[in-house]
Amino acid sequence: MGYSKQIYQRVWDILDGRKQAAREEASRHREEIHHKIPRIAELERQMAQQAARITRIVVAGSPDVEAKMQELAETNLGVQQERVALLIQHGYPRDYLTLRHVCTDCRDTGYVEQNMCPCMKALLRQEAAAQLSRVSPVGSSTFQSFSLDYYPDTPDDSGISPRVRMQDVLSTCRHWTGTFSSKSESLLLIGKTGLGKTHLSVAMAAEITLAGYGVIYTSVQRMMDMLEAEKFSRESGSKEQYRDTMVAYLDCDLLVLDDLGTEFMNQFVGATLFNILNSRLVEERPTIISTNLEPAEIEARYSQRMVSRLVCAYKVLRFAGKDIRYQKKVEGIRQS
Ligand SMILES: [Zn+2]
C-alpha cells in the first residue's frame, strides 16, 4: 500500500490512542463498580489470593498440580458468573468490566495475525484523504440549510418547475448519501453557476466524512496544480510524494471534484484527469463531479471517451433555476 511514513505514523498514533482510551475506560468502570458493588471487589480479591496460593503450590513442586489448576479454573468460572450476575442485577451491561476496543477483530492493533485489519486500511484512506481535502466536515453547506425557496415554482417549457426538479435532485442526493458505500454510483452535477451544485456536493462530502469514510473534496484545478508541481519537481522525495498523492486520489472512498472545466488545460491535465476518473470507474470507487459544462462542451474540451465515461457511467443530476448567489446578493441590497 503506497502511503507515506507520516500517514502510517498518524494511523499508529490513532490506534495507540484507541488502546489507551479502552484501558482508561476499563479502569474507570472498575473503580466505579468496586465502589457501587463492593461484593465484586471482594470476589476479585479472593480470586487473586487463591491464584497466588496455587502459584506457590505449583512452584513448590506439589504432586497434585493438575487438581489445583482444575480447582482454580472452577473458582474462576464461578467468580465470572457471579460477577456478571451482579452487574446485570445492578443494571450494568454484562461486559462493563471488560476492555472495549473500537475494533474487536484486531483489538485496535491494526493487524490480525500477519494481515492488515480493514479498520487500519480505512484509517489510512481517511488520513490520506484528510490531508488533501479542502473542506472541514462542519460547515454552513448542509442539507438542512439548502433552501428550495430560491427555485421558481412556475413550470418551464417542459411543464415542470425548477423547484420540483430541484426537490428531486435534493432527495436523490440525500438518499445517495444515506445509503453510501465505497461502491456507490458516481454522480455528475450539471448546471449553470449559482444553482447550488457546490452546496450539495459539500453537504454530501461532509456527511460521508462524518460517517468515517476517506473523502477528498477539492477543485479540479487544485488537484491538478498539486499533481503537476510534484510530478515535475526536481526536489528530492518529490517522486514519492507524487506517488502518495496519486494513490490518495485513486484509493479514497469518495473523491469530490468541484468545477470541472474551469481548470487550466494542457496535455498533462487532460491525460491525468482521464486516468484518475477512468481508474476510479474501473475500481468502482465513487466520484462526484460538478460542472457548468454541457456534455457537448465536455466532449469539445476533453475528449469523446471522457464524455462517454461521464455521461454513461455517472448518474447525471441536472440543476435548474436562476443564479442563487445573485438573488441573495440582490436581497441583501434590498434589506440594507
Ligand atoms: Zn481492526
Side-chain angles (χ1 to χ4, degrees), residues 221-239:
Q221 180 74 65
R222 190 168 179 271
M223 174 171 84
M224 285 307 156
D225 284 349
M226 188 170 271
L227 286 170
E228 205 166 5
E230 287 170 358
K231 172 88 178 171
F232 299 107
S233 165
R234 286 151 182 262
E235 276 173 43
S236 69
S238 58
K239 234 187 210 128

Side-chain angles (χ1 to χ4, degrees), residues 280-300:
R280 290 186 62 85
L281 274 180
V282 171
E283 298 289 326
E284 297 178 39
R285 297 193 195 284
T287 307
I288 298 176
I289 296 177
S290 72
T291 185
N292 301 338
L293 301 179
E294 287 297 315
E297 293 170 305
I298 297 177
E299 181 172 345

Side-chain angles (χ1 to χ4, degrees), residues 141-171:
S141 295
T142 61
F143 285 128
Q144 288 75 26
S145 67
F146 189 84
S147 168
L148 288 166
D149 297 345
Y150 291 103
Y151 299 91
D153 61 353
T154 41
D156 56 20
D157 299 343
S158 65
I160 301 167
S161 74
R163 191 171 299 173
V164 168
R165 281 186 194 286
M166 290 310 294
Q167 173 90 60
D168 200 37
V169 166
L170 176 62
S171 65

Side-chain angles (χ1 to χ4, degrees), residues 182-183 250-251 277-286:
S182 49
K183 296 279 177 213
L250 293 176
D251 280 6
L277 298 182
N278 194 47
S279 303
R280 290 186 62 85
L281 274 180
V282 171
E283 298 289 326
E284 297 178 39
R285 297 193 195 284

Side-chain angles (χ1 to χ4, degrees), residues 103 105-108 110 117-120:
C103 175
D105 294 336
C106 68
R107 300 172 65 82
D108 297 336
C117 184
C119 79
M120 177 155 173

